[in-house]
Amino acid sequence: MIILDTEHLWPVLSPVKMLSVLVLHLIPRFMRFVFSRMRSLLQVSYTSWFLDAFNYAIATNMDVLNLSIGGPDYLDLPFVEKVWEITANNIIMVSAIGNDGPLYGTLNNPADQSDVIGVGGIDYSDHIASFSSRGMSTWEIPHGYGRVKPDVVAYGREIMGSKISTGCKSLSGTSVASPVVAGVVCLLVSIIPENKRKEILNPASMKQALVEGAAKLTGPNMYEQGAGRVDLLESYEILKSYQPRASIFPSVLDYTDCPYSWPFCLQPLYAGAMPVIFNATVLNGMGVIGYVRSPPIWHPSNEEGNLLSIRFTYSEVIWPWTGYLALHMQIKEEGAHFSGVIEGNVTVRVHSPPAQGERAVRTSTCVLKLKLNVVPTPPRSKRVLWDQFHSIKYPPGYIPRDSLDVRNDILDWHGDHLHTNFHIMFNMLRDAGYYIETLGSPLTCFDASQYGTLLMVDLEDEYFQEEIEKLRDDVINTGLGLAVFAEWYNVDTMVKMRFFDDNTRSWWTPVTGGANIPALNDLLAPFGIAFGDKILNGDFSIDDEQSRYASGTDIVRFPRGGYVHSFPFLDSSESGATQNLLLNSGMNKADSPILGLLEVGEGRIAVYGDSNCLDSSHMVTNCYRLLRKILDFTGSNIKDPVLFSKSVKQDMPLYEDDNHLSSRRTDVNFSVYSAVLGKDLICRTDSRFEVWGTKGYNLHIRGRNRKLPGYHVIGLGRGLNSTIDTSNSRRPKFTEKNKGDYFGNRYLGELDVPELVASQWLVPAVIAITGFVLFFSIWRIRQKRRRRRRSMSGRLANL
């Protein structure tokens, strides 16, 4: 589904027509009629309308095409592939990045495509306009990292333009900034002699001229301004002497350049961390297609540079005009105590077929300069691991918003990443001295002995059985802290949110709730913890901090000895409607448990039923102070006196029967959207290098790691910074316990080493004895049958 913004397009573009440069509004009258109809359809458009317009642009050999449109669906393949066809036909496409700012992760398609010039908006004081969408791109999540967008910014606030009828009016929006850049492109096209335009000008060379000539603004980071404010004269100087070549954007990653290099400049590298991924764009001005025939090379500037280990993932075929180069960077173990700056260059050679009249293959070497801060490995208690792997976003599925109070944004499409809609939380944790790393692979792919806390927020996916078992062992035996922030989940409410989409001509229904509570309950079952299906709303205060509970869920299972905080809320779920009618009649609101804290084995667990207080997308009040106290507990066992008051300690466990727990939807094929169901458990390129292509740490106990082509099978027992001896590590399988198991602490806190050791030989011994008894019984029965046959044959012979 593409959302069209035509309000600002025509007045700004109407004066633009020069040489052979055409823009979208020069499409015939029937297209104007189409666009006028869009306004009456609440600015909702059909993909097919744009396909017709794009075909017209190709047929008429346009040079420049401006699109003041956008939408979040980068998986609308007919649209996306037609944009590729447009640029492959040497049409320079300029597009507005979107008006969903100041939120991060809100780039609109097609401006978020690498072959399109994406434009953000600024005011006349060179400040990023509040409405201008921010990066990064979210196509690559969870296994990779987003690209830098927008490409450039231009004036887009209170720009004077002509009305469709007569006169002038003030206009604002990236829909205005985009035509400004389209006009700049038109002027730049005009300086190239007409007989040489097709040889020199193309989407890549024009983007090179714009980003290399842009003026970097002071203050905004790269995901707000891209290369900076478009500069016509500087770009003119670049194009005047331009020779076809390839380049990398951004061409520099400098950890000392803050805030422009945010978030990289905010957290230095250190040994033992998950790889830091930087995703750059390769611009190939030599031709529509190019090839990278050999891997990129890291050239350190000094001896310290050898402490940096880089692996690359990249486009072997660059088409149309652009590709990607992703750097996966980690510090070697010998750099665990190093503090300083590492500098050097990454080079990659791009080859393109010869142009018309040429014989030799075109070749160009791209350079990416690196300047990286490195610090000694932080203490375990200050290291937090963010679970990105189990997050599902729109597109492709209808993933509903987390706060049901928000009516104008029905989809969860901002990426749910530390550097998109959780970027304020990321900044806060860094200011508090925490180091936050991202895990885009299953939970088997990290070494729990290196981290104080695993932070799981607003997760929608399922879990492998191996993940459930490993997490249980990580918490109980390895001392990993676990902090879970859940969301609402109610099947009746999801059914009510169903709607008919005119573009796809199909019914859309949520594939899960704000979070996947049935899956989370499976993950937390070994600890006796479960969430319910209420949708709770209301204000409350904890430790003198006023907070808003926005469409959160409740806790329905929690072990004895834990600490549970309950507050009076209204249940807005479909099943809670009757209850609310009674409450409105004068009854008091019932207290609902929403926060639980528990010590279990060597580890600690904290669960909270709402994540909106961490998500900057639709936040009413934040709960950063509560988060810090939770991390102090899970990572360092520091107990806040209010959170651990004797008045909230559980003398008896919370318990709801299984038939009262949330159930999965049976009318949705969740495997279409899941990275777990029907998929292989494998550690991907966001994991530590030593587990790439394997199933993860210590899984050789259950069987040989699955081998990927090009990777050796690695027998891994520990992480690189191991301080705890686990050569005799135990990973028992667990089975579902009955009700009695949850009421005692034997299943949790008193699960000691002898019990675990016994579980390894007792079960095989029982199976062996049972098999022997069964074999002996069968042997005895067969012996009896043989005796009967012999006696029967003797009697027949006598007859």
Side-chain angles (χ1 to χ4, degrees):
M1 183 167 58
I2 303 297
I3 309 301
L4 174 66
D5 178 8
T6 59
E7 180 179 358
H8 310 126
L9 178 61
W10 309 121
V12 179
L13 282 182
S14 55
V16 180
K17 179 182 178 182
M18 53 189 309
L19 304 173
S20 61
V21 179
L22 304 176
V23 291
L24 188 60
H25 78 298
L26 299 179
I27 294 174
R29 292 182 179 178
F30 82 93
M31 287 306 299
R32 288 210 180 199
F33 171 75
V34 168
F35 290 131
S36 67
R37 294 292 296 166
M38 291 177 185
R39 188 182 300 274
S40 65
L41 291 173
L42 300 178
Q43 294 186 322
V44 176
S45 65
Y46 294 103
T47 297
S48 60
W49 294 351
F50 289 98
L51 301 186
D52 290 339
F54 293 158
N55 286 330
Y56 177 84
I58 295 172
T60 55
N61 198 28
M62 285 189 181
D63 293 316
V64 178
L65 182 63
N66 180 83
L67 292 179
S68 288
I69 63 167
D73 188 2
Y74 56 78
L75 292 182
D76 184 2
L77 290 184
F79 185 92
V80 171
E81 291 176 353
K82 183 59 69 171
V83 171
W84 289 339
E85 184 181 347
I86 282 276
T87 56
N89 276 273
N90 209 19
I91 299 176
I92 299 170
M93 180 175 285
V94 185
S95 184
I97 206 71
N99 296 331
D100 295 294
L103 305 179
Y104 280 62
T106 54
L107 302 177
N108 281 212
N109 182 265
D112 62 348
Q113 294 184 214
S114 59
D115 54 321
V116 175
I117 299 170
V119 181
I122 57 175
D123 59 24
Y124 287 118
S125 299
D126 283 349
H127 297 142
I128 300 295
S130 58
F131 54 75
S132 185
S133 291
R134 272 70 164 170
M136 58 184 176
S137 63
T138 58
W139 295 39
E140 301 81 2
I141 297 172
H143 300 301
Y145 193 83
R147 289 167 286 107
V148 174
K149 281 281 183 170
D151 296 301
V152 291
V153 291
Y155 297 118
R157 182 183 288 279
E158 297 179 357
I159 306 300
M160 296 305 296
S162 60
K163 294 182 180 179
I164 294 180
S165 54
T166 58
C168 299
K169 66 176 181 178
S170 177
L171 305 166
S172 295
T174 57
S175 300
V176 180
S178 180
V180 169
V181 174
V184 168
V185 171
C186 293
L187 291 172
L188 292 173
V189 169
S190 69
I191 70 169
I192 306 298
E194 192 167 353
N195 60 341
K196 292 185 177 180
R197 281 180 192 161
K198 291 301 181 182
E199 299 176 12
I200 296 177
L201 288 181
N202 54 62
S205 62
M206 183 57 70
K207 183 179 285 194
Q208 287 172 330
L210 291 176
V211 299
E212 293 171 14
K216 188 168 73 173
L217 305 178
T218 302
N221 63 58
M222 65 176 75
Y223 297 106
E224 293 176 317
Q225 64 167 306
R229 184 190 67 240
V230 66
D231 189 320
L232 176 62
L233 292 180
E234 288 295 326
S235 297
Y236 161 75
E237 293 296 332
I238 293 171
L239 272 184
K240 189 169 62 173
S241 58
Y242 181 82
Q243 294 296 321
R245 55 182 169 83
S247 63
I248 295 176
F249 171 69
S251 60
V252 178
L253 175 59
D254 186 355
Y255 272 44
T256 65
D257 184 10
C258 236
Y260 180 76
S261 294
W262 180 95
F264 302 98
C265 64
L266 204 59
Q267 180 165 301
L269 299 176
Y270 48 87
M274 290 290 172
V276 172
I277 304 175
F278 179 66
N279 193 359
T281 300
V282 179
L283 303 173
N284 181 23
M286 300 183 296
V288 65
I289 190 169
Y291 304 93
V292 178
R293 293 173 179 164
S294 58
I297 302 174
W298 160 237
H299 306 275
S301 298
N302 47 40
E303 189 67 26
E304 288 79 8
N306 293 318
L307 296 174
L308 177 65
S309 179
I310 305 181
R311 291 191 181 182
F312 304 93
T313 52
Y314 54 92
S315 304
E316 295 184 6
V317 178
I318 297 175
W319 183 91
W321 308 105
T322 61
Y324 71 92
L325 171 63
L327 282 62
H328 306 253
M329 302 177 288
Q330 66 181 42
I331 300 299
K332 298 176 182 177
E333 275 308 290
E334 49 265 37
H337 302 288
F338 175 75
S339 179
V341 176
I342 289 178
E343 295 186 68
N345 297 327
V346 170
T347 60
V348 59
R349 291 178 65 84
V350 178
H351 308 271
S352 282
Q356 187 175 3
E358 296 179 350
R359 293 185 177 181
V361 172
R362 291 184 167 185
T363 302
S364 180
T365 300
C366 307
V367 179
L368 171 60
K369 297 180 180 179
L370 297 182
K371 188 175 183 180
L372 314 173
N373 283 333
V374 182
V375 297
T377 302
R380 178 188 184 187
S381 61
K382 288 297 184 180
R383 293 178 62 181
V384 177
L385 187 63
W386 171 270
D387 182 2
Q388 188 68 43
F389 177 74
H390 296 97
S391 177
I392 304 177
K393 64 184 184 307
Y394 171 85
Y398 178 6
I399 309 298
R401 61 190 180 274
D402 297 324
S403 175
L404 297 180
D405 292 335
V406 178
R407 304 295 181 183
N408 61 348
D409 195 0
I410 66 172
L411 300 172
D412 188 356
W413 64 282
H414 299 166
D416 285 347
H417 192 278
L418 281 172
H419 303 152
T420 57
N421 49 312
F422 288 96
H423 72 282
I424 299 178
M425 182 198 74
F426 169 77
N427 293 341
M428 180 277 301
L429 291 178
R430 285 296 300 129
D431 291 341
Y434 286 97
Y435 294 81
I436 310 97
E437 303 168 30
T438 303
L439 177 66
S441 288
L443 300 180
T444 58
C445 302
F446 78 98
D447 180 6
S449 69
Q450 304 299 307
Y451 298 93
T453 303
L454 173 65
L455 185 55
M456 309 182 74
V457 180
D458 185 20
L459 301 179
E460 294 90 1
D461 211 339
E462 297 286 331
Y463 300 89
F464 291 104
Q465 184 65 27
E466 293 88 341
E467 293 182 282
I468 298 174
E469 295 171 9
K470 179 180 179 292
L471 182 62
R472 175 182 181 270
D473 188 59
D474 287 343
V475 173
I476 294 175
N477 296 322
T478 312
L480 176 70
L482 177 62
V484 178
F485 285 74
E487 268 300 336
W488 68 271
Y489 185 97
N490 185 278
V491 174
D492 293 335
T493 300
M494 284 186 269
V495 172
K496 291 285 186 179
M497 296 173 69
R498 184 169 177 256
F499 72 93
F500 186 78
D501 179 47
D502 285 331
N503 195 33
T504 59
R505 307 300 298 172
S506 62
W507 284 96
W508 282 41
T509 183
V511 300
T512 185
N516 190 341
I517 295 301
L520 274 177
N521 286 346
D522 287 347
L523 185 72
L524 298 172
F527 311 111
I529 301 173
F531 292 104
D533 65 351
K534 291 182 179 180
I535 302 178
L536 303 175
N537 292 275
D539 298 316
F540 71 102
S541 177
I542 183 169
D543 201 5
D544 297 327
E545 182 179 26
Q546 192 70 25
S547 297
R548 172 73 179 176
Y549 206 69
S551 305
T553 189
D554 59 329
I555 301 171
V556 297
R557 282 183 181 173
F558 209 79
R560 174 170 57 87
Y563 297 80
V564 177
H565 295 260
S566 303
F567 299 93
F569 296 121
L570 283 177
D571 180 7
S572 60
S573 65
E574 293 298 320
S575 55
T578 303
Q579 172 194 357
N580 292 340
L581 287 176
L582 295 174
L583 295 176
N584 291 333
S585 300
M587 297 178 60
N588 292 327
K589 299 177 183 178
D591 282 354
S592 297
I594 62 169
L595 172 63
L597 304 113
L598 176 70
E599 292 184 86
V600 46
E602 297 295 323
R604 293 159 294 276
I605 300 175
V607 294
Y608 187 69
D610 184 25
S611 68
N612 283 288
C613 57
L614 301 178
D615 186 342
S616 58
S617 292
H618 305 297
M619 181 187 296
V620 178
T621 60
N622 71 69
C623 57
Y624 298 146
R625 184 178 172 191
L626 174 63
L627 175 62
R628 288 196 300 270
K629 293 181 178 180
I630 287 176
L631 294 180
D632 286 344
F633 167 62
T634 55
S636 304
N637 200 20
I638 299 174
K639 298 179 180 179
D640 180 79
V642 175
L643 297 184
F644 289 88
S645 171
K646 291 183 179 180
S647 61
V648 296
K649 188 172 184 178
Q650 294 293 110
D651 295 327
M652 291 293 292
L654 291 176
Y655 183 81
E656 286 278 357
D657 290 328
D658 288 346
N659 55 0
H660 290 124
L661 296 181
S662 301
S663 59
R664 292 173 173 83
R665 298 196 65 171
T666 58
D667 57 336
V668 172
N669 183 10
F670 194 71
S671 63
V672 174
Y673 317 102
S674 173
V676 175
L677 298 182
K679 312 300 190 302
D680 291 330
L681 189 158
I682 192 167
C683 301
R684 300 185 183 272
T685 55
D686 63 289
S687 309
R688 296 280 304 172
F689 295 164
E690 63 265 21
V691 294
W692 277 24
T694 73
K695 289 187 175 182
Y697 290 92
N698 291 336
L699 288 193
H700 60 279
I701 293 176
R702 298 189 185 92
R704 185 174 177 84
N705 291 332
R706 190 170 75 87
K707 182 178 182 293
L708 281 185
Y711 296 99
H712 299 291
V713 174
I714 306 172
L716 294 167
R718 295 304 299 158
L720 298 176
N721 289 343
S722 177
T723 56
I724 300 176
D725 181 15
T726 58
S727 57
N728 296 319
S729 62
R730 297 166 292 275
R731 300 192 178 278
K733 292 183 179 293
F734 65 90
T735 56
E736 187 175 347
K737 300 292 178 177
N738 57 33
K739 181 176 179 178
D741 292 323
Y742 289 99
F743 277 82
N745 280 353
R746 180 177 180 276
Y747 183 42
L748 297 171
E750 297 176 6
L751 189 61
D752 54 17
V753 172
E755 194 170 357
L756 288 173
V757 173
S759 68
Q760 290 193 340
W761 60 262
L762 185 59
V763 174
V766 171
I767 293 175
I769 293 172
T770 304
F772 176 77
V773 172
L774 182 61
F775 174 78
F776 183 75
S777 300
I778 294 174
W779 180 79
R780 289 287 303 274
I781 292 172
R782 294 183 66 180
Q783 291 298 319
K784 290 179 180 179
R785 288 178 178 174
R786 287 173 181 170
R787 293 192 193 100
R788 290 196 192 100
R789 291 195 192 99
R790 292 193 191 103
S791 61
M792 181 66 69
S793 61
R795 285 193 290 270
L796 291 174
N798 292 335
L799 288 174

